[in-house]
Amino acid sequence: MSPVSPPASPRRKPLADSVAVHDQVYDAIRLALITGRIAPGVGVSLRSLAAELGVSPMPVRDAVRRLAAERALAINPANKRLSVPSLTASRLEQLSQARLWVEPELAARAAPHVDAALVKRLRELDAAVDEALKLGDVDAYMTANHDFHFAIYERAEAEVLLAMANGLWLQIGPFMRVVFGRVGADGLAADRHVEATEALKAHDAEAARRAIAADLSEGMDKMRAAVEVRG
């Protein structure tokens, strides 16, 4: 599977050398995975990640171990290079099913807790998604789409389900970027964000559940069509 984009994200300011640096490094690499900036099929070294983040290899090694345990990264035992695990047909189907179990439930649980500020935020994020699609800006699209979903999920007051959703996005994010690269903005133009926002505004849990389920199903269908998987 060829990469859609280089694994390196724009260079950030060096992270401070403190106890908190381990969490900062983990968060930085995690965000790169969720937004697809570490592309499938591209090997990345601990040293290159450390240099990009401006830290020693130690906190990067710690972050990589955590992400490997979450099945977001694989480590080649021969050369210690990191990569996004390959996406087989079976793995894609499992990820799809898990997302349909977890994420619509989070949306339904969020519905009673929605206020005007969240509705405004969701509309702003959906507008950012649309603008990114119009411009063909993959980084902006990936970030705004993720932020839209998790603005909802974080309102659900369901920590266990939220942690599961975070883990699923870690695994699926790089392949979402592959879809964008292969089908382009036109292939991603339709979503259920407006429908989901209106359902949440009305505190209609079942309508919110249906809208997010439809959004996920349609997105995963595009992924099946765009990503070449092995059985």
Side-chain angles (χ1 to χ4, degrees), residues 149-223:
H149 282 267
F150 280 84
I152 297 170
Y153 303 161
E154 288 167 2
R155 195 60 66 93
E157 299 184 3
E159 293 182 2
V160 173
L161 294 174
L162 181 62
M164 293 171 69
N166 274 312
L168 292 168
W169 276 67
L170 270 177
Q171 297 182 65
I172 208 69
F175 299 99
M176 290 182 180
R177 193 177 185 109
V178 169
V179 171
F180 191 105
R182 293 193 180 178
V183 307
D186 291 342
L188 293 175
D191 61 46
R192 301 297 184 106
H193 291 181
V194 172
E195 184 180 332
T197 301
E198 292 307 306
L200 291 163
K201 179 184 176 184
H203 304 292
D204 188 334
E206 291 310 309
R209 186 195 304 275
R210 289 193 299 271
I212 292 299
D215 189 56
L216 299 181
S217 293
E218 291 163 9
M220 296 304 283
D221 285 346
K222 291 182 176 73
M223 188 170 294

Side-chain angles (χ1 to χ4, degrees), residues 53-184:
L53 294 171
V55 297
S56 71
M58 185 176 297
V60 175
R61 190 175 295 112
D62 178 63
V64 165
R65 280 198 295 263
R66 291 169 65 183
L67 290 162
E70 295 177 85
R71 300 183 182 277
L73 283 175
I75 305 174
N76 186 325
N79 57 20
K80 305 301 182 184
R81 289 180 71 81
L82 319 169
S83 63
V84 173
S86 61
L87 189 66
T88 64
S90 173
R91 188 160 178 259
L92 176 57
E93 190 56 39
Q94 291 176 63
L95 287 168
S96 300
Q97 186 61 69
R99 293 187 72 199
L100 287 170
W101 283 334
V102 173
E103 295 181 48
E105 178 65 21
L106 281 165
R109 289 176 180 241
H113 309 294
V114 171
D115 55 19
L118 179 58
V119 171
K120 180 175 183 290
R121 177 65 175 151
L122 292 175
R123 287 173 174 164
E124 290 170 349
L125 288 168
D126 191 36
V129 169
D130 291 342
E131 181 67 12
L133 288 170
K134 180 181 176 182
L135 297 175
D137 186 337
V138 63
D139 286 327
Y141 168 79
M142 294 292 295
T143 299
N145 185 55
H146 171 269
D147 289 352
F148 177 90
H149 282 267
F150 280 84
I152 297 170
Y153 303 161
E154 288 167 2
R155 195 60 66 93
E157 299 184 3
E159 293 182 2
V160 173
L161 294 174
L162 181 62
M164 293 171 69
N166 274 312
L168 292 168
W169 276 67
L170 270 177
Q171 297 182 65
I172 208 69
F175 299 99
M176 290 182 180
R177 193 177 185 109
V178 169
V179 171
F180 191 105
R182 293 193 180 178
V183 307

